[in-house]
Every structure is written in structure tokens, then in C-alpha cells.
Amino acid sequence: MLSANRNPIAKILGSDYNVMKEDSSILEILDKIAKDDDPESEIKMKIAILLKQLDLHLLNYSLKHISLEICLNPVTIKNDIELLKRFSGKGEQTVLESIEYTSDYEFSNGCRAPPWRQIHGEICYVLVKPHDVETLCITCSTEGVFLNGGKTHDEEEINYERKGAIYKDLFTFLKEKSAKFSENMSKQQTRVNEEQQKEKDQPHEAPKKEEADALRRATTGSGKNLLKNQINLGKNQMTKRLEPSLNWKTTVDSKDRKTLQRDTQEEKHGGKLEKSAPSVSPGRAHKSAEKIEEIVSESSSESEEDEEPPDHRQEANADLPSEYWQIQKLVKYLKGGNQTATVIALCSMKDFNLAQETCQLAIRDVGGLEVLINLLDTDEVKCKIGSLKILKEISHNPQIRRNIVDLGGLPIMVNILDSPHKSLKCLAAETIANVAKFKRARRAVRHHGGITKLVALLDCAQNATEPVQSSLYDERDVEVARCGAQALWSCSKSYANKEAIRKAGGIPLLARLLKTSHENMLIPVVGTLQECASEENYRAAIKAERIIENLVKNLNSENEQLQEHCAMAIYQCAEDEETRDLVRLHGGLKPLASLLNNTDNKKRLAAVTGAIWKCSISKENVTKFREYKAIETLVGLLTDQPEEVLVNVVGALGECCQEYENRVLVRKCGGIQPLVNLLVGINQALLVNVTKAVGACAVESESMMIIDRLDGVRLLWSLLKNPHPDVKASAAWALCPCIQNAKDAGEMVRSFVGGLELVVNLLKSDNKEVLASVCAAITNIAKDQENLAVITDHGVVPLLSKLANTNNDKLRRHLAEAISRCCMWGRNRVAFGEHKAVAPLVRYLKSNDTNVHRATAQALYQLSEDADNCITMHENSAVKVQLVDFVVSYKLGKCGLERNRNIKVLLKRIFEHKKLPHCWVTAAAEPCVIKDYAAEEPCGDRIFLNQRIENVLSKISHYII
């Protein structure tokens, strides 16, 4: 249509309105309208102007969006990869373990992809090894970055097929695929910004230095002002908007960029700035121990607003409500009025709806925050109270919180906590509770002694001479303690703050406050305990202070929020077996089971199911839950629930299904199908729990039939491709009972195309749990001879042999069992010897785990059928170790008859072997005081006679028995 109508305006309005002419045609039309009184001409001109404005608007809109669609190019990709290489390597602080190209050859256009792939826009292929997922093979193209099919194992060629979504750049891709990369990248952000900014601005280094000197001189000139004003002046010198150098960071106002960089440096260097402006007062130096503490001070569980939001300013031409301008007038009165005018202005400002964002930003935009914080430094209590009331309301806004910290408001509020006026204490503590929602604020509270002062607020009955009772509480004292607990709750999201609370004596005070009947007090107290219970030191202190009893008691409260936090605290504490027993002994299992029936409050339901999950780890608690009909209720919660609830529900069922009665109960309640349906999810924690639950149900044959019919085994097998090691390991463990209890398991396993090759390739993993689980799966797979032949062809023997040098007893046990099974095909026994797997197995006999001994005896028994393996065992003192262990285990009753029989047969084979020198018998029999049964003749075709062998074995047996 557009090609047929190249000039639609001229066709609509006539040739006089042809926009294809020069710009002077508009003037001619205006002149024509002035001379001609025809009203139609005027209307046409107005329409022409409107159409032209529309055309310009559409053009600008299109240009704006087209400019955002920037294609990647080889230079950009190369710079990103080189940048990541600088921050990659061994160690937990690096962003990646390694990143490298698949090809070293670079074409003249900068691409490394083959020419026949360059025509598709592909630039290069990169192998990336993050810390927490398997190696990723990535395609970088002009359209973006995506995951490809990886390298084929036969020809080492790239499978170019795209396996997922396209991401705009390499950083966004890796942030999505690896949580560890995202975490470490945020820590390295300052260094990355500096590196990229240095490369970008290298030619302009001298002007930048001059600007920095000018900024420093301007900042130095304001040295007479307060600390907060110095910070403001230093930041206000920067008025341009700076764009971040990395794409994963949201654009922020350049006014706050300096502050954000300073915060990042403080987090990395223990609160000490590299080159601090005059705004840093003396006395900020810290001891080296404090520096080390700061590096690890922020807890990994912190999630609330750890990423500070970008700053938003009201646009000058925006349609703002009248309240915005009225508040700005009141702020002017605050700045220039006397004491009476200030109090009246504060009262008038409090009458506005300060929960509305427009009102909050109105105070901030006109400089009201600086005035309100300055009022906190006055001696007038009324002004302080009015200011704190306003700050308490507007500090719910994330931007306001950040501005308060930037202006140095927290140290002043911490000092107010020492005030004799209880109203001031309450307001200051409540404002601190609102502000301390992000790391920098929590750290500032701790640095200025706020944790100790907040803990002191909890001691609301310090002058009482008798045990604390709610009737003795003064209402104002209760409010002070509540506000202090509220502030501690916000601060307790930091590990360093948790330690500070404990060292300040906060646990006994929190335990005492739990005995009160004030629900408003109990909620922040339990919330603080819930946060702190993630640390082992706190869990031990919670048991010592008998806090579990009060948590269980408050589960029966009518307050849903209190029930939620009590259940969450039990969830955190129930990692410990003694705590699980205390919950049962104090009657906490029944209210937990009854709360499952109230499903409207999802947050409370998630907390309750989490507490049930952790309590179900103890078998005695599982029996109680079965009595309270909790298992049937849990099965009913497998559908139509949010993921945070499902994770806990499935985790609880996974623990309950370790017992036969509960497996039957889950099957009869129809729980197998919803469990299998959850295998197709993407939530890592949910997948780990659901695979465990399905594996537990598969132990029962009837449940296994349902799982097989629902294609559950195939879904479990597909999870072996999941990038998260925990999911892989859990899926492999679940496959073991499925293979054991499936009808015609061998044929079922072979029906999965590429399934056996996938299992064998998982032996290349670096994760010990994945390796142990895969070895256990191979043990079950190898029971079928055809499957054993297939995995042998896929190279299972060298991969198992490579794992033999491990000190992990769990891996040792399942590895030995897998080797024992794999020995039963072809010349695998010989191959294990050739790949040096025999000698490390002998060392397994020195383990303290009897399960490792049993599995190792079976493996050595199978390997001993090869002559060279027998020699290797003797060279590594296998007989001596076996006999000593055999005698001790036999006498202590720790070893079963099957293992004893394996050892006897093994020894017999070793003694009967032709090539053994006679002196080895003395060494072998030394622990059993049999030293003289060696053959008199030298080594020959037949060193030991059968009679002598029988005498040796009979003497050994007689000695042992």
C-alpha cells in the first residue's frame, strides 16, 4: 500500500499540500490561506499539519526502538570474552572456572566460526565452565548468544543446533544459567566497571584527571559543612547521566553512581574506601580482624532489596497532583521558619497521605530529607518527634531509604536510641527498621553501635526484681521493646549482625520476651529468631534457652502472622535431631498437622509445610504425622499450590515414604501421579525433592508399576541432563530403586535412546554426589548382561578406574560395587588392572566404614580371578590388610558371613597363584602367627601344594574362630 501511495497527503488534500516539495511549500500554503477566505483551505491546512506531526512522531518512535536493537559484532564478543578471562580461574571468588574458544583460528573479519556458519550470522563458539553447572557450549552470533548442542563425543565437532532461548549478550546468558556467576559478578562489578571504563576512555585520560582534580577541589572547599552535606556536595558535582559499562546492571542516576561504587568497595574492603573524599571523618579506620569480618559479613540468605533500585525523579512537565506542590511549600517553611513555624509545618505535612509515592518524592525532590535529618540534630524534642514520624512513614519507599543513608541519617537515629524519651526511642527504632532493608544500611547500623543499643531496648523490665510477667510491663516499655525487636529483625538478615546480636546478649532477652502475651511484640521477636536460626550457634543457644517450647506454644495462637513465623523458626531449627525431638515432646506436631487444613494463607502454608518437612526427618515424628492424618493432607496439596509450598510438601512426602506403610498410603491416596507430573518442572529445589519422593515410592512394586505406566522412569532419566548437579544426583539415586523393581528392567533401560551413554558420560562430572549416585545406578544397570555390554562399549571401565583414587567413603562404596558388577563381562577384570584400579581399591580396606569394606571385598573377589590383579593386590599388602581386618571384624561381630566368605575365597586364590614368591606367605600370615608354611623350594611352576594351602587356611580359620 505504501509503495502505491508514495505521497498520501497530496492525494488526500491535493497537490498544493505535497510534502515531497521543499520546506518553503508550507510558507506558500500559509500565504495562500491568508489571501483566500475559503474555510475549506484552512481545514485542509490543519489536517496537513497534524499529519506531518504524526509522521514525525512515528519516525522518532521507530528510530528510538531501532537504535536499541544493536547487533553483536566480533569485536564486542571478543572484548567480553577477554574481560571474563581476566576474572576466571580457580577459587570461589572468580566468576568462572574457565572460558575458551573452540577454535584458535581467527578469520580476517574477526570471526572464528566456519565460513558456512558465518552466513547464518554466527561469530564464534565458546566453552564455558561455571562453578555450579556443567560445561556449556555457547554460540555467539549477531542475533545474540544461545546454547548449542555441544561437542559430539565421536568426532569432537560442534552440534550447531540451538538448544534454548537467545540472550542479548554473554553476560545475560551466564547470569541466567549460573547463580554462582551472578553472585560473583556482582562482587567483581567495580573492577569490571573500572576495566571497561579505562578501555573506553583511554584517549581522554588527561581531561578525566582534570575533572577529577576540579571535583576534589570543589569538594574540599565545603569542609566546614556537616558530613552529610559533604557527601551531597561531592555527588552533586556530577550532573551528567553515566551509562553502566555492563549490560546486566540497571541504568541509575549518575548522582548515585559514586555512592554505589563506594558501597561496593566497602563490601570488598571491609568498609574502608580506597581514596576517600574529605567526607570521611577520622576514626573510621578498622582493625585487620574487622576487615576480614566485613568480607564475609553479609549473609548469602539476604535477598530483600540487596540490589538497590534506580533513582526516579519527577519529570518537570508531568501532571502532578496539588499535594506535590503543597508539600514543597511546607518544606520551604521548614527551611526558613522559626521553631513554632517548623512544628506547625511538620504537623501539616503529617496530615498528608505520606504512604503515597508522590508525596514521598515531593519531600525528597525539594530537599526536604536534608531538612528532616538536620532537625534530628536539634535539642527540641517536638521537632525530633515530628521529623521522625515523617521519616518513619516515607522510609517505606526504597529510594527514600537509600537517600536517608546517603545523607548520614542512620548514625543520628542510632544516637537517639540513647535518649531518655521513650517516644523518641520508639520512633528512631521503627525508622531504622524501615531503612535497614539493604546491606549498606544494615552495615551502617552495626558500625555505629546500633546493634548493642537495639538489644538494650529489649530489656524492658531490667529493674524488675521478680520473674517477668506481662502484667508488670509498662505499656510504653513494651512498645520500646517491640520497636527494638522490629529493628533487630530487619538487621538480622546479615551474618555479622547476627553475631553482633548474639554477642550483645540478645538471645536470653528474646527468649524472655517470648513469654509475653503481647502478639505485637511476639511477631518481631519470633521473626528475629527465625532469621538467626539459620546459624548453628543460634540453634544451640535456642535449645539452651528452651525457646522451642514457646515457639510450639505460639503455634496455637489465633494470629496467622505469628503462626507463620513460629513455623518458619521451627523449620530453621529442625535441622538438628534434638530440636525435632523437642518439637514432638512439647506437642508441636499436632498443631502443625492441623494448620495444613488452612490453605488460604500461602505464606503460612509454606512455613508450616517446611516445618513438617524438617520434622519428618525423624522416624518417630513420621509415625505421629501418620496418626494425625497429615500424610493424606500433604498428598492433597500436591496440586494447585505455589512452588514454595510444593517444595516443602514434596520434601515431607519424600521423608515419609521411607517407610512402607506411608508408601502404601501415598499410593492409595492417588499421590503417585501428581508426583510424576512434577518431574517436568524447572525449579531446582522442587526437582531435587520430587525425585527423592518418586524414588522412595518406587521401592514398592505396585507403586513402581504406576510410575512406569506414567512414563516416570523416562522423566527421571531426562533429568540426568539437567545443568544443576543436585538434580542430576537426586535423579540418579531415584533411578536405582526404579531399575531394581521394574519388570524387565533391562529392556526398559535399553528403550531409552542414548540413555546408557548419558549415564556413562556423567562419570566425568566433578561433583562427588553425582559420581556416587551414577555409580549406584551403574551397579543396577549392569545386572543385565546386555546393558553391561553396552556400557562397556561406551568406556565405563576407564572412567570408573579414573575415580578409584578418592577419599570419599560414599563414593568408594558405590564405586567398588559398580566395579564388582562390571567385572562380570568379557575382559573387564583385566581392563581394570590395566587402568590401575586395583591398587587404590586395596586402600579402601583401611576405611572405617564397614559398608566400604563389604563392597571392596566383593570387588577384589571379582578382580582376583585375573592373575595380574592378584600380584597387584599382594604388592599393596591386600592379604595383610584383609586378614587383620577379618580377625578384628569377626571378633567384634561387625562383619557378615558373606563378606567372610569373600575374603576366604580371595585369600585362597591369592595363595594358589603360581607366580607368588614363598616369602609372601610369611608376610601374609604374620598377623595370624603362621610364619612357617612357606614352600621350601624356590619359586617354580607350582610353589604351594594343595595340602599346605589347606593347612594354612585351616590354621587361619582355627585362629580366627
Side-chain angles (χ1 to χ4, degrees), residues 368-385:
L369 284 179
E370 292 90 334
V371 179
L372 291 172
I373 291 174
N374 281 330
L375 288 176
L376 299 180
D377 266 341
T378 63
D379 296 330
E380 288 297 323
V381 176
K382 291 182 180 179
C383 291
K384 288 184 178 181
I385 290 177

Side-chain angles (χ1 to χ4, degrees), residues 227-392:
L227 172 63
K228 53 183 174 292
N229 293 329
Q230 292 172 344
I231 295 175
N232 286 335
L233 182 58
K235 290 188 297 179
N236 288 335
Q237 306 299 323
M238 305 172 65
T239 56
K240 290 172 60 180
R241 262 197 182 279
L242 301 178
E243 292 190 4
S245 57
L246 292 177
N247 295 326
W248 72 82
K249 186 68 177 176
T250 308
T251 304
V252 296
D253 195 296
S254 62
K255 176 180 177 180
D256 303 307
R257 187 172 183 270
K258 181 178 176 181
T259 304
L260 294 177
Q261 289 181 348
R262 185 183 70 238
D263 300 338
T264 307
Q265 291 174 355
E266 286 180 353
E267 291 174 15
K268 292 171 62 178
H269 304 290
K272 182 178 178 181
L273 294 178
E274 293 294 334
K275 289 187 177 180
S276 54
S279 60
V280 180
S281 60
R284 290 286 302 275
H286 301 285
K287 296 180 181 179
S288 59
E290 293 176 348
K291 293 180 184 178
I292 297 173
E293 178 192 5
E294 285 299 318
I295 295 175
V296 294
S297 65
E298 302 306 329
S299 172
S300 59
S301 64
E302 297 184 39
S303 59
E304 185 179 3
E305 293 188 33
D306 286 346
E307 291 293 332
E308 298 181 9
D311 200 359
H312 296 290
R313 297 279 174 176
Q314 296 288 344
E315 296 182 7
N317 57 350
D319 293 332
L320 298 171
S322 59
E323 290 87 348
Y324 184 87
W325 309 110
Q326 293 173 9
I327 287 177
Q328 291 204 346
K329 290 180 180 178
L330 289 174
V331 172
K332 293 179 181 178
Y333 284 116
L334 286 178
K335 290 180 177 180
N338 55 23
Q339 177 182 336
T340 304
T342 300
V343 174
I344 294 173
L346 289 171
C347 294
S348 301
M349 193 179 296
K350 185 68 176 63
D351 291 335
F352 284 92
N353 182 14
L354 296 180
Q356 186 178 351
E357 186 178 21
T358 302
C359 298
Q360 297 168 351
L361 298 182
I363 297 174
R364 192 274 308 269
D365 292 347
V366 78
L369 284 179
E370 292 90 334
V371 179
L372 291 172
I373 291 174
N374 281 330
L375 288 176
L376 299 180
D377 266 341
T378 63
D379 296 330
E380 288 297 323
V381 176
K382 291 182 180 179
C383 291
K384 288 184 178 181
I385 290 177
S387 177
L388 283 172
K389 283 184 177 181
I390 295 171
L391 289 172
K392 184 187 77 170

